Amino acid sequence: MNQLAILTAALALSISAPAFAHDLGDLEGDNSPNSMGIRMCTGPHMTVTQSRPQTPQDVERAHDVIDTLRRALAKYRDSRVALAEGYQIFLPTVPQEVYHFTDYSAAQQEYMGHFDPRFPGSLLYVKNSAGDYVLIGAMYSAPADATPDELDALIPLSVAHWHAHTNICLPNGITLNDVLRGDVGASRIDEPGMLPVSSSAAAPAINQQLGFLADGRFGFTGKISDASTCEAAGGHLLKQAFGWMVHVYPFNGDDLKVAFGMSVPKASTN
């Protein structure tokens, strides 16, 4: 089985479907209602592990992960290094709050149950005002069938919330394999999820950029989260897309609530 096939079954995506787009100007900036990004919240599209009582051993393990990442990620502060080493940007042309640079080999190992904190499957970047990528952390992944005890053994559930994407509606004709490759149906003219051309002069350009994500019904935080509504809209529902994942932000001090938090911290200047 090739890497793409394995990742299609497992690679974690953390994206948000944009709300209704009105013009191209709405697509820029983290505060845009149409920006793609991390929306770490419970709900029909997100399953989050329950916290466990914290132990001194958990705290020690968590700090070990932070220290390991600080060393392992240092060279990737220059995003060009990551690209030169074969990392690939997920949906680089689509505005996002956080951009995932994925090492397919490392991600494949994680989904096969091999966890090494020195080699996270994905690096996490944000864009600054100049449009440059700024490293903020990394993402680890685990098999979709991993148990809470197994996840806890990787990153303690007392300090981190592993999450999985659930009840994801994709338009018929679009597969997870397509999304992984960055194909959101943008080259088509009749893809469900696109804006009606008559709705705005900017609609064709928005559709060209966002494809089925344009109107906000489909995707990982889309408005649709049940099978019947999804089918009626011309789609198919995935009960769970990919496996378990956890973000770690090691550059903003030693506060575990920040390093393993559900919110994206500001990029460190250090």
Side-chain angles (χ1 to χ4, degrees):
M1 183 180 296
N2 62 33
Q3 288 186 349
L4 185 59
I6 293 175
L7 290 175
T8 298
L11 181 61
L13 307 177
S14 295
I15 64 173
S16 295
F20 254 91
H22 298 290
D23 56 63
L24 287 177
D26 288 340
L27 297 178
E28 304 301 329
D30 289 346
N31 295 323
S32 163
N34 306 303
S35 63
M36 306 273 290
I38 306 302
R39 296 291 182 268
M40 295 297 195
C41 57
T42 57
H45 292 306
M46 183 78 73
T47 298
V48 180
T49 55
Q50 294 185 349
S51 294
R52 292 185 172 184
Q54 192 172 99
T55 68
Q57 292 77 18
D58 290 345
V59 173
E60 182 178 359
R61 289 171 54 207
H63 281 296
D64 285 345
V65 171
I66 293 174
D67 292 341
T68 297
L69 276 181
R70 286 173 180 166
R71 294 190 296 269
L73 301 186
K75 64 179 178 178
Y76 298 120
R77 287 188 180 276
D78 185 341
S79 63
R80 294 170 297 183
V81 174
L83 295 174
E85 291 190 3
Y87 283 85
Q88 298 186 35
I89 309 173
F90 177 70
L91 296 180
T93 64
V94 177
Q96 302 176 59
E97 184 181 7
V98 174
Y99 292 81
H100 293 64
F101 286 48
T102 298
D103 178 336
Y104 286 172
S105 295
Q108 177 180 339
Q109 289 299 307
E110 290 176 340
Y111 280 107
M112 292 174 65
H114 306 299
F115 179 81
D116 189 332
R118 299 171 301 171
F119 303 106
S122 294
L123 309 177
L124 304 177
Y125 291 84
V126 297
K127 280 189 176 181
N128 61 19
S129 58
D132 299 321
Y133 289 109
V134 179
L135 181 69
I136 60 169
M139 184 178 80
Y140 296 112
S141 300
D145 61 354
T147 66
D149 284 345
E150 290 170 336
L151 295 175
D152 182 72
L154 304 178
I155 303 289
L157 301 186
S158 65
V159 300
H161 292 284
W162 288 82
H163 63 276
H165 295 289
T166 54
N167 300 315
I168 310 302
C169 183
L170 295 180
N172 293 331
I174 294 289
T175 67
L176 284 176
N177 197 17
D178 295 326
V179 176
L180 178 62
R181 292 197 306 263
D183 179 5
V184 291
S187 62
R188 310 172 195 180
I189 61 174
D190 58 350
E191 188 68 49
M194 289 183 172
L195 298 175
V197 175
S198 59
S199 66
S200 167
I206 294 172
N207 290 339
Q208 183 64 32
Q209 184 175 14
L210 299 182
F212 74 85
L213 297 168
D215 75 10
R217 290 178 298 159
F218 299 92
F220 288 75
T221 58
K223 298 174 183 177
I224 299 175
S225 60
D226 66 276
S228 59
T229 304
C230 182
E231 183 177 353
H236 57 283
L237 193 77
L238 307 177
K239 294 301 294 181
Q240 179 172 337
F242 312 113
W244 290 96
M245 60 214 74
V246 65
H247 289 190
V248 186
Y249 307 107
F251 303 124
N252 292 71
D254 295 326
D255 188 341
L256 297 183
K257 292 183 179 179
V258 176
F260 294 93
M262 300 291 280
S263 298
V264 179
K266 293 183 178 179
S268 173
T269 58
N270 297 329

